[in-house]
Amino acid sequence: MKILIQNISELLTMDLTRPDNTGLGLISNAAVLIENTGIIWCGKEDELPVNRACYEVIDAAGKVVMPGLVDAHTHLVFAGSRENEFAARLEGATYEEILAAGGGIHYTVSSTRGADVEELIASGLNRLDFCLDHGVTTVEIKSGYGLEKETEIKMLRTAKKLDEIHSVDVVPTFLGAHIIPKEFRDSRERYINIITTEMMSEIKDHGLAEFCDVFIENGAYTVDEAEKIISAGIENGMQPRLHVEQLNHLEGVKLAVRYNAASVDHLETITGEDIEILAGSDVTAILLPGATFFLRMSNYAPARQLIDSGVKTALATDLNPGSCMTAMPFLIMTLGCLQMGMTVPEVLRAFTIYPAESLNRTDRGIIAEGKLADIIILDVDNYKMIPYMFGRNHVASVIKSGKVVRK
Ligand code: NIG
Ligand code: FE
């Protein structure tokens, strides 16, 4: 398949080696050439190096074109929903109290244990359709609502199946260490031992996860426990990406940097000292302002300080039934701007090139020769409108791996 996208008002390549003053690798009056699954050329339309007649032409109609979005932190596979918890929080209960009382994540664990694979695949497909409709072409999905071998594996097999049958690419992460399951409340070491032996060896044998996550938090896992889990994860071929410093500051960032984690996620309670340590590392900060908003917290992660210190900073939705029941990337971008002081180019990079790098997918999140043709056409006249017109889905068309999948 040979495709020419022409009549692009602004092409946001995210190719940061291109000299321009937007920080988006912006080319105005641009065109892109695609052959099979990849991009073979992009540039000014009047410098097009081929004969148009040989290509199927897509007219961008003077709109903005950018890489398909990458959502690098989701809990997209789950059963049931938690609107009762949402309503209880409105009447004063906190997320931590609900969890400590056996609700919250425990509730989703029991629904997910009770669901069969077909049910999880059906709801997963619906959610992936929503992601693709909103321009997301790669999504990370965590397990973590099983907390027993059978269901953790069932979740990861669901993620693998979704990757096979849906056009969105799925990157699987093992989060067996989400919270301590109720059955092991008084014997947490035994559960951790099951994670690091039985669960991880099955995952390794069947290639079910690329990354290993731990929720480091009061009421979840300590830093010492997380160290045991991620060491075992690394031995089993899974790089860590960690939930850290969300509700309480517990020194998770230092651990993540010592173990060369792919990312540290949340960071609402990160300190200045940690920011310096992160800045000296390759670890990507993934900020989840949708969760801060949905939990009605006022301490958004310090995106400005992180970026100004030189930390690679991404955004993600954190889609999950408890702390952030949305999969809308454009809404998260607006929260990034308004609640965390990020600029428009920063939120656009934060949903493309940086999350792609943190998932070890350097073939995407960027429009350049030789990269994967994951491209979205947005119904806006210029890039500043993307976070400005908030609550709106701007997607006009989506091309995934060189194929038009939404138009
Ligand atoms: O990223 N913090 C832990 N995990 C999720 C919430 C999961 C849930 O509440 O179901 C998060 O916010
Ligand atoms: Fe999360």
Side-chain angles (χ1 to χ4, degrees):
M1 195 64 168
K2 289 167 134 195
I3 297 175
L4 160 65
I5 311 174
Q6 65 179 27
N7 198 11
I8 302 168
S9 63
E10 294 180 342
L11 177 66
L12 317 179
T13 67
M14 306 296 163
D15 182 350
L16 306 179
T17 62
R18 267 179 191 275
D20 83 338
N21 54 13
T22 61
L24 294 167
L26 188 151
I27 308 173
S28 52
N29 305 317
V32 181
L33 288 172
I34 298 169
E35 271 190 35
N36 303 318
T37 58
I39 296 163
I40 59 159
W41 180 87
C42 66
K44 289 270 188 201
E45 188 171 340
D46 57 13
E47 294 168 11
L48 198 65
V50 294
N51 181 350
R52 281 167 214 258
C54 307
Y55 287 78
E56 179 194 324
V57 174
I58 297 177
D59 185 358
K63 304 296 184 193
V64 171
V65 171
M66 67 180 291
L69 305 178
V70 178
D71 191 348
H73 182 137
T74 84
H75 306 254
L76 182 144
V77 171
F78 61 86
S81 59
R82 309 226 299 262
E83 64 281 8
N84 291 336
E85 173 183 332
F86 175 78
R89 285 198 290 110
L90 299 180
E91 291 182 17
T94 70
Y95 181 80
E96 280 172 289
E97 282 164 7
I98 292 166
L99 181 63
I105 297 173
H106 292 292
Y107 181 87
T108 304
V109 168
S110 82
S111 338
T112 307
R113 285 179 179 178
D116 54 35
V117 181
E118 289 69 33
E119 243 175 288
L120 291 178
I121 290 175
S123 59
L125 283 174
N126 273 331
R127 291 181 196 127
L128 284 181
D129 280 345
F130 183 97
C131 293
L132 196 59
D133 289 344
H134 289 75
V136 173
T137 46
T138 300
V139 70
E140 183 258 15
I141 299 182
K142 300 173 195 299
S143 66
Y145 292 124
L147 309 183
E148 63 181 7
K149 184 175 167 190
E150 189 192 334
T151 311
E152 285 296 313
I153 299 297
K154 179 172 78 181
M155 290 186 74
L156 291 171
R157 286 198 187 284
T158 301
K160 196 178 178 121
K161 188 74 188 166
L162 290 172
D163 181 52
E164 286 161 12
I165 61 181
H166 200 283
S167 22
V168 172
D169 284 335
V170 172
V171 180
T173 295
F174 173 50
L175 177 58
H178 199 179
I179 52 168
I180 301 279
K182 283 181 184 167
E183 323 75 272
F184 287 93
R185 214 165 238 175
D186 300 318
S187 51
R188 43 197 298 142
E189 274 168 30
R190 273 183 47 222
Y191 179 63
I192 293 169
N193 194 40
I194 293 171
I195 292 179
T196 57
T197 56
E198 291 170 37
M199 292 194 200
M200 284 190 179
S201 73
E202 174 105 4
I203 290 166
K204 185 180 181 190
D205 288 350
H206 296 94
L208 292 176
E210 292 180 36
F211 295 95
C212 169
D213 197 343
V214 180
F215 184 22
I216 301 176
E217 187 54 74
N218 293 344
Y221 291 81
T222 66
V223 171
D224 289 346
E225 289 168 343
E227 182 162 8
K228 268 190 214 140
I229 295 161
I230 62 176
S231 308
I234 291 167
E235 276 170 32
N236 286 284
M238 291 176 273
Q239 194 185 358
R241 45 191 327 116
L242 299 171
H243 282 74
V244 294
E245 330 295 8
Q246 180 186 10
L247 307 169
N248 297 282
H249 184 261
L250 297 178
E251 307 286 359
V253 167
K254 293 187 182 75
L255 177 76
V257 170
R258 260 196 292 130
Y259 281 85
N260 186 32
S263 70
V264 281
D265 303 31
H266 281 293
L267 304 182
E268 284 87 341
T269 66
I270 193 173
T271 61
E273 187 198 345
D274 286 343
I275 293 177
E276 288 311 308
I277 294 171
L278 257 191
S281 79
D282 270 342
V283 182
T284 303
I286 300 189
L287 308 183
L288 310 165
T292 322
F293 171 71
F294 201 69
L295 294 179
R296 309 172 84 192
M297 288 158 52
S298 50
N299 58 331
Y300 283 83
R304 225 11 316 126
Q305 274 163 272
L306 285 158
I307 295 169
D308 292 343
S309 308
V311 178
K312 243 189 279 169
T313 303
L315 290 168
T317 62
D318 196 13
L319 166 63
N320 75 76
S323 71
C324 194
M325 190 56 158
T326 187
M328 293 179 79
F330 298 118
L331 181 61
I332 302 301
M333 288 182 200
T334 300
L335 289 175
C337 292
L338 298 180
Q339 304 291 42
M340 304 199 299
M342 294 171 78
T343 65
V344 178
E346 283 166 355
V347 298
L348 294 170
R349 292 199 293 269
F351 255 108
T352 51
I353 186 153
Y354 296 147
E357 282 176 9
S358 90
L359 294 174
N360 300 329
R361 298 291 195 283
T362 50
D363 60 344
R364 63 197 72 186
I366 173 168
I367 294 178
E369 189 186 324
K371 301 293 182 182
L372 197 61
D374 288 2
I375 295 174
I376 56 179
I377 303 176
L378 302 182
D379 181 22
V380 292
D381 299 330
N382 67 72
Y383 73 85
K384 290 180 188 146
M385 287 183 133
I386 298 169
Y388 162 69
M389 295 178 76
F390 80 105
R392 171 179 189 259
N393 182 12
H394 307 304
V395 172
S397 306
V398 181
I399 297 169
K400 174 72 191 100
S401 302
K403 262 178 61 188
V404 180
V405 288
R406 288 285 187 278
K407 66 175 170 192

Short mmCIF file of all heavy atoms in Angstrom, two decimals, residues 25-56:
data_model
loop_
_atom_site.label_atom_id
_atom_site.label_comp_id
_atom_site.label_asym_id
_atom_site.label_seq_id
_atom_site.Cartn_x
_atom_site.Cartn_y
_atom_site.Cartn_z
N GLY A 25 9.36 19.79 15.86
CA GLY A 25 9.83 19.42 14.53
C GLY A 25 8.75 19.76 13.50
O GLY A 25 8.43 18.95 12.63
N LEU A 26 8.19 20.97 13.60
CA LEU A 26 7.02 21.34 12.79
C LEU A 26 7.41 21.67 11.34
O LEU A 26 8.35 22.43 11.11
CB LEU A 26 6.32 22.53 13.44
CG LEU A 26 4.97 22.96 12.86
CD1 LEU A 26 4.12 23.59 13.97
CD2 LEU A 26 5.08 23.92 11.70
N ILE A 27 6.69 21.09 10.39
CA ILE A 27 6.84 21.46 8.98
C ILE A 27 5.48 22.00 8.51
O ILE A 27 4.46 21.31 8.63
CB ILE A 27 7.21 20.25 8.10
CG1 ILE A 27 8.44 19.50 8.68
CG2 ILE A 27 7.49 20.67 6.66
CD1 ILE A 27 8.76 18.20 7.95
N SER A 28 5.47 23.23 8.00
CA SER A 28 4.19 23.75 7.50
C SER A 28 4.04 23.39 6.02
O SER A 28 5.03 23.11 5.33
CB SER A 28 4.11 25.26 7.71
OG SER A 28 5.27 25.85 7.17
N ASN A 29 2.79 23.37 5.53
CA ASN A 29 2.49 23.00 4.13
C ASN A 29 3.22 21.71 3.74
O ASN A 29 4.01 21.69 2.82
CB ASN A 29 2.86 24.13 3.18
CG ASN A 29 2.20 25.43 3.60
OD1 ASN A 29 1.02 25.42 3.95
ND2 ASN A 29 2.95 26.52 3.61
N ALA A 30 2.93 20.66 4.49
CA ALA A 30 3.73 19.44 4.40
C ALA A 30 2.99 18.30 3.73
O ALA A 30 1.78 18.37 3.47
CB ALA A 30 4.15 19.02 5.80
N ALA A 31 3.76 17.24 3.46
CA ALA A 31 3.21 15.99 2.95
C ALA A 31 4.00 14.83 3.55
O ALA A 31 5.14 15.02 4.01
CB ALA A 31 3.29 15.96 1.43
N VAL A 32 3.36 13.65 3.58
CA VAL A 32 4.02 12.44 4.10
C VAL A 32 3.79 11.32 3.11
O VAL A 32 2.69 11.16 2.57
CB VAL A 32 3.42 12.01 5.47
CG1 VAL A 32 4.12 10.76 6.00
CG2 VAL A 32 3.49 13.13 6.49
N LEU A 33 4.83 10.52 2.85
CA LEU A 33 4.70 9.34 1.99
C LEU A 33 4.86 8.07 2.83
O LEU A 33 5.78 7.96 3.65
CB LEU A 33 5.80 9.35 0.92
CG LEU A 33 5.67 10.37 -0.19
CD1 LEU A 33 6.94 10.37 -1.05
CD2 LEU A 33 4.44 10.08 -1.06
N ILE A 34 3.93 7.14 2.57
CA ILE A 34 3.93 5.87 3.31
C ILE A 34 4.02 4.73 2.31
O ILE A 34 3.34 4.76 1.27
CB ILE A 34 2.60 5.73 4.11
CG1 ILE A 34 2.48 6.86 5.14
CG2 ILE A 34 2.50 4.36 4.77
CD1 ILE A 34 1.10 6.97 5.78
N GLU A 35 4.85 3.75 2.60
CA GLU A 35 4.84 2.52 1.80
C GLU A 35 4.78 1.34 2.75
O GLU A 35 5.58 1.26 3.69
CB GLU A 35 6.08 2.43 0.90
CG GLU A 35 5.83 3.10 -0.45
CD GLU A 35 6.94 2.82 -1.47
OE1 GLU A 35 7.51 1.70 -1.46
OE2 GLU A 35 7.21 3.74 -2.26
N ASN A 36 3.83 0.45 2.50
CA ASN A 36 3.59 -0.68 3.41
C ASN A 36 3.36 -0.16 4.82
O ASN A 36 2.50 0.67 5.01
CB ASN A 36 4.74 -1.69 3.32
CG ASN A 36 4.90 -2.18 1.88
OD1 ASN A 36 3.91 -2.44 1.20
ND2 ASN A 36 6.12 -2.26 1.42
N THR A 37 4.18 -0.58 5.79
CA THR A 37 3.89 -0.18 7.17
C THR A 37 4.68 1.05 7.61
O THR A 37 4.51 1.53 8.73
CB THR A 37 4.24 -1.32 8.15
OG1 THR A 37 5.64 -1.64 7.95
CG2 THR A 37 3.41 -2.56 7.89
N GLY A 38 5.54 1.57 6.72
CA GLY A 38 6.46 2.61 7.19
C GLY A 38 6.38 3.93 6.45
O GLY A 38 5.76 4.06 5.38
N ILE A 39 7.03 4.92 7.03
CA ILE A 39 7.12 6.26 6.42
C ILE A 39 8.38 6.29 5.56
O ILE A 39 9.46 5.92 6.03
CB ILE A 39 7.22 7.33 7.53
CG1 ILE A 39 5.93 7.33 8.37
CG2 ILE A 39 7.50 8.72 6.95
CD1 ILE A 39 6.04 8.03 9.70
N ILE A 40 8.24 6.69 4.30
CA ILE A 40 9.45 6.73 3.47
C ILE A 40 9.93 8.16 3.22
O ILE A 40 11.07 8.38 2.82
CB ILE A 40 9.27 5.99 2.12
CG1 ILE A 40 8.12 6.59 1.30
CG2 ILE A 40 9.04 4.51 2.33
CD1 ILE A 40 8.25 6.26 -0.18
N TRP A 41 9.07 9.13 3.47
CA TRP A 41 9.49 10.53 3.28
C TRP A 41 8.50 11.45 3.98
O TRP A 41 7.31 11.16 4.04
CB TRP A 41 9.53 10.85 1.78
CG TRP A 41 9.95 12.26 1.46
CD1 TRP A 41 11.23 12.73 1.30
CD2 TRP A 41 9.08 13.40 1.26
NE1 TRP A 41 11.21 14.08 1.04
CE2 TRP A 41 9.91 14.52 1.00
CE3 TRP A 41 7.70 13.58 1.29
CZ2 TRP A 41 9.40 15.80 0.76
CZ3 TRP A 41 7.18 14.86 1.06
CH2 TRP A 41 8.02 15.95 0.80
N CYS A 42 8.99 12.58 4.49
CA CYS A 42 8.10 13.67 4.89
C CYS A 42 8.84 14.98 4.66
O CYS A 42 10.07 15.03 4.71
CB CYS A 42 7.64 13.54 6.34
SG CYS A 42 8.94 13.71 7.56
N GLY A 43 8.09 16.03 4.35
CA GLY A 43 8.74 17.31 4.09
C GLY A 43 7.74 18.31 3.55
O GLY A 43 6.52 18.11 3.63
N LYS A 44 8.25 19.39 2.97
CA LYS A 44 7.39 20.40 2.35
C LYS A 44 6.70 19.79 1.13
O LYS A 44 7.35 19.11 0.32
CB LYS A 44 8.27 21.56 1.86
CG LYS A 44 8.84 22.40 2.98
CD LYS A 44 7.85 23.52 3.28
CE LYS A 44 8.43 24.52 4.24
NZ LYS A 44 7.33 25.28 4.90
N GLU A 45 5.42 20.05 0.97
CA GLU A 45 4.70 19.42 -0.14
C GLU A 45 5.29 19.83 -1.50
O GLU A 45 5.33 19.02 -2.43
CB GLU A 45 3.21 19.77 -0.07
CG GLU A 45 2.42 18.97 -1.08
CD GLU A 45 0.90 19.10 -0.93
OE1 GLU A 45 0.42 19.50 0.15
OE2 GLU A 45 0.20 18.79 -1.91
N ASP A 46 5.78 21.05 -1.60
CA ASP A 46 6.32 21.46 -2.91
C ASP A 46 7.69 20.84 -3.19
O ASP A 46 8.28 21.07 -4.24
CB ASP A 46 6.31 22.98 -3.07
CG ASP A 46 7.09 23.69 -1.98
OD1 ASP A 46 7.83 23.01 -1.24
OD2 ASP A 46 6.94 24.93 -1.86
N GLU A 47 8.20 20.04 -2.24
CA GLU A 47 9.46 19.32 -2.51
C GLU A 47 9.23 17.81 -2.66
O GLU A 47 10.16 17.02 -2.55
CB GLU A 47 10.45 19.58 -1.36
CG GLU A 47 10.89 21.04 -1.30
CD GLU A 47 11.64 21.38 0.00
OE1 GLU A 47 12.01 20.45 0.76
OE2 GLU A 47 11.83 22.58 0.24
N LEU A 48 7.97 17.44 -2.87
CA LEU A 48 7.61 16.02 -2.98
C LEU A 48 8.50 15.32 -4.02
O LEU A 48 8.55 15.74 -5.17
CB LEU A 48 6.13 15.95 -3.42
CG LEU A 48 5.40 14.64 -3.22
CD1 LEU A 48 5.26 14.32 -1.74
CD2 LEU A 48 4.01 14.74 -3.85
N PRO A 49 9.18 14.22 -3.65
CA PRO A 49 10.16 13.63 -4.55
C PRO A 49 9.58 12.59 -5.53
O PRO A 49 10.35 11.97 -6.26
CB PRO A 49 11.14 12.96 -3.59
CG PRO A 49 10.30 12.59 -2.41
CD PRO A 49 9.20 13.59 -2.32
N VAL A 50 8.25 12.38 -5.53
CA VAL A 50 7.68 11.32 -6.37
C VAL A 50 6.49 11.84 -7.18
O VAL A 50 5.97 12.93 -6.92
CB VAL A 50 7.17 10.14 -5.50
CG1 VAL A 50 8.32 9.43 -4.81
CG2 VAL A 50 6.13 10.62 -4.49
N ASN A 51 6.04 11.01 -8.07
CA ASN A 51 4.86 11.31 -8.86
C ASN A 51 3.60 10.93 -8.07
O ASN A 51 3.43 9.76 -7.70
CB ASN A 51 4.95 10.50 -10.17
CG ASN A 51 3.77 10.75 -11.08
OD1 ASN A 51 2.79 11.38 -10.70
ND2 ASN A 51 3.88 10.24 -12.29
N ARG A 52 2.74 11.90 -7.82
CA ARG A 52 1.53 11.66 -7.00
C ARG A 52 0.65 10.53 -7.55
O ARG A 52 -0.05 9.85 -6.80
CB ARG A 52 0.63 12.90 -6.99
CG ARG A 52 1.06 13.97 -6.08
CD ARG A 52 0.30 15.25 -6.38
NE ARG A 52 1.20 16.36 -6.13
CZ ARG A 52 1.15 17.11 -5.04
NH1 ARG A 52 0.22 16.91 -4.14
NH2 ARG A 52 2.02 18.06 -4.84
N ALA A 53 0.67 10.37 -8.86
CA ALA A 53 -0.23 9.41 -9.50
C ALA A 53 0.03 7.98 -9.02
O ALA A 53 -0.84 7.12 -9.13
CB ALA A 53 -0.06 9.51 -11.01
N CYS A 54 1.22 7.72 -8.50
CA CYS A 54 1.53 6.35 -8.04
C CYS A 54 1.01 6.08 -6.63
O CYS A 54 1.22 4.99 -6.10
CB CYS A 54 3.04 6.11 -8.05
SG CYS A 54 3.80 6.49 -9.61
N TYR A 55 0.39 7.07 -5.99
CA TYR A 55 0.00 6.92 -4.58
C TYR A 55 -1.50 7.10 -4.39
O TYR A 55 -2.13 7.86 -5.13
CB TYR A 55 0.73 7.97 -3.72
CG TYR A 55 2.20 7.62 -3.55
CD1 TYR A 55 3.11 7.86 -4.57
CD2 TYR A 55 2.65 7.02 -2.38
CE1 TYR A 55 4.45 7.52 -4.43
CE2 TYR A 55 3.98 6.68 -2.22
CZ TYR A 55 4.88 6.93 -3.25
OH TYR A 55 6.19 6.58 -3.10
N GLU A 56 -2.04 6.41 -3.41
CA GLU A 56 -3.40 6.71 -2.98
C GLU A 56 -3.30 8.01 -2.16
O GLU A 56 -2.53 8.07 -1.19
CB GLU A 56 -3.93 5.58 -2.10
CG GLU A 56 -5.34 5.83 -1.60
CD GLU A 56 -5.75 4.88 -0.47
OE1 GLU A 56 -5.33 3.70 -0.54
OE2 GLU A 56 -6.46 5.32 0.45
#
